[in-house]
Amino acid sequence: MNKQNQKYDIVRPEPESLLQSTRSFGYSVETAIADLIDNSITANATKIKISFGIDRYSSFVRIEDNGKGMNEKELLNAMKVGSFNPLDDRHENDLGRFGLGLKTASFSQCRRLTVKTRNKSGKGFIRCWDLDIVKEKKDWVLLRNCVDKVSEKNLGEFSEGGSGTIVLWEKLDRLMESRELKLDKEHFYRKFDNVRKHLGLTFHRFIENGEIAIFVLDDELEAINPFNISDEYPSAELAEEQLSIRQQHIYIQPFILPHESKLSSNEKKNLEIVKGWTEHQGIYLYRNRRLIADGTWLDLDFRKKESQRLCRIRIDIPNTLDSEWHIDVKKASAKIPDVIRKRIRTICFTSIEKAVKVYTHRGAYLRRKGEKKEIVYLWKARQKQGKRFYEVNKDHPIYQLILEYLGEDAYVFRDYMRLIGESMPVSLIVSDFSDPSTIMKDFFESSRGELKTIYENTVSALINAGFSEDEAIKKANSIECFQQLKLN
């Protein structure tokens, strides 16, 4: 047919240009490895082993799983760029999305990708993309074996019998940036410390359920549950809510973490996860139980604040709602659908309010539903002419006792309390609390005996002031600081 009479042109992408473009999707090494683990879980793997070697000439990262593996046709399809149409229906447990993850995640970190797979038949297959060979040949050259003996050694054999898949990254130009071995090693180990935390968080529900075990250099990763920080002081679970889009269910569960004053040093460290516990406040979006986004308010008009840092909200969505939630290629960001945006915002706002109350009151006491007990606090938060400040509670029973005891000389005490209130170093306290490297002393830490003595002295002073024993005990039991004694 005469080309002048054709109604269309066939325009094929240049191999090198397209593959180079896939390197710029914005993956970090931790999100890239997480994308590969998605494939392993979809392939029913129960064990995933991550190893690496750092060498001046042949550094590599190797990810092996014991999943169902692939036959030759499936391997070829997996190595194809855009091997799956995101509009097609996927299995309900499939963690993939665009058919790009293996390639885009790998090329974001390396220039050579080799995959070795073996299915239940026991027959193995290898395919390899090398961007330098594609550049040289100017064509989609997919090798049927390892490039050389070094690569073959790095790829290695399966560590267990049965089926499985090995993914090998070489030519790690994005991981080995400086070309100075000592410096590259230092940063390589730093990056893999983040990989450990990221994977422990991203797949914590799979790890906790015993569905998968992930190893980095033979060390098994522990699950990092962002909602379960302390066994002694569990997070408060607010009411779960169910929403629907196209008859597909979405589950929303808010959690209020215990105040940090109740936590051990190790538990406080767990709160920090990767970015510090203030940055990890907000929504945790899960797609098929796999964490997509953590410590974010997504596109809601909330800002991260110190006072909100105890608020974490779990949202579970199925993979059938990817387009509505605008799940990206990296499976690392999303957008709340307009149809349920208002309701989710209301849930978040209510949860934030409750979290702020716990944070403000140091978590000393939470009123239970239906309980009428009133708590008297040592401090009051006040506002005047649009400015927030704090002052000692002048109605506090101990304050009143001292005034009565001092009589005419009480003005000295009142002036002293006023000076304390006016000179409280609020900015310094906020700064210290927000610094993850600063360990704050807990209320009467290691000296509960002294607190009990103060309680007993207060009861005695109230009795001496004319209260009955029952009235004195009731009044002392209403004071905030004595709630730590777990009074009846």
Side-chain angles (χ1 to χ4, degrees), residues 277-308:
W277 65 310
T278 299
E279 286 301 310
H280 280 291
Q281 68 180 261
I283 291 171
Y284 286 67
L285 181 65
Y286 292 82
R287 173 183 179 267
N288 287 10
R289 298 183 298 127
R290 189 265 205 209
L291 187 61
I292 295 293
D294 72 283
T296 173
W297 291 113
L298 295 179
D299 54 327
L300 296 176
D301 54 346
F302 296 122
R303 296 291 178 268
K304 290 186 177 180
K305 299 179 181 178
E306 293 293 323
S307 59
Q308 300 171 181

Side-chain angles (χ1 to χ4, degrees), residues 302-319:
F302 296 122
R303 296 291 178 268
K304 290 186 177 180
K305 299 179 181 178
E306 293 293 323
S307 59
Q308 300 171 181
R309 63 204 242 177
L310 303 181
C311 183
R312 293 180 180 177
I313 299 168
R314 186 178 71 203
I315 300 181
D316 278 291
I317 66 172
N319 62 6

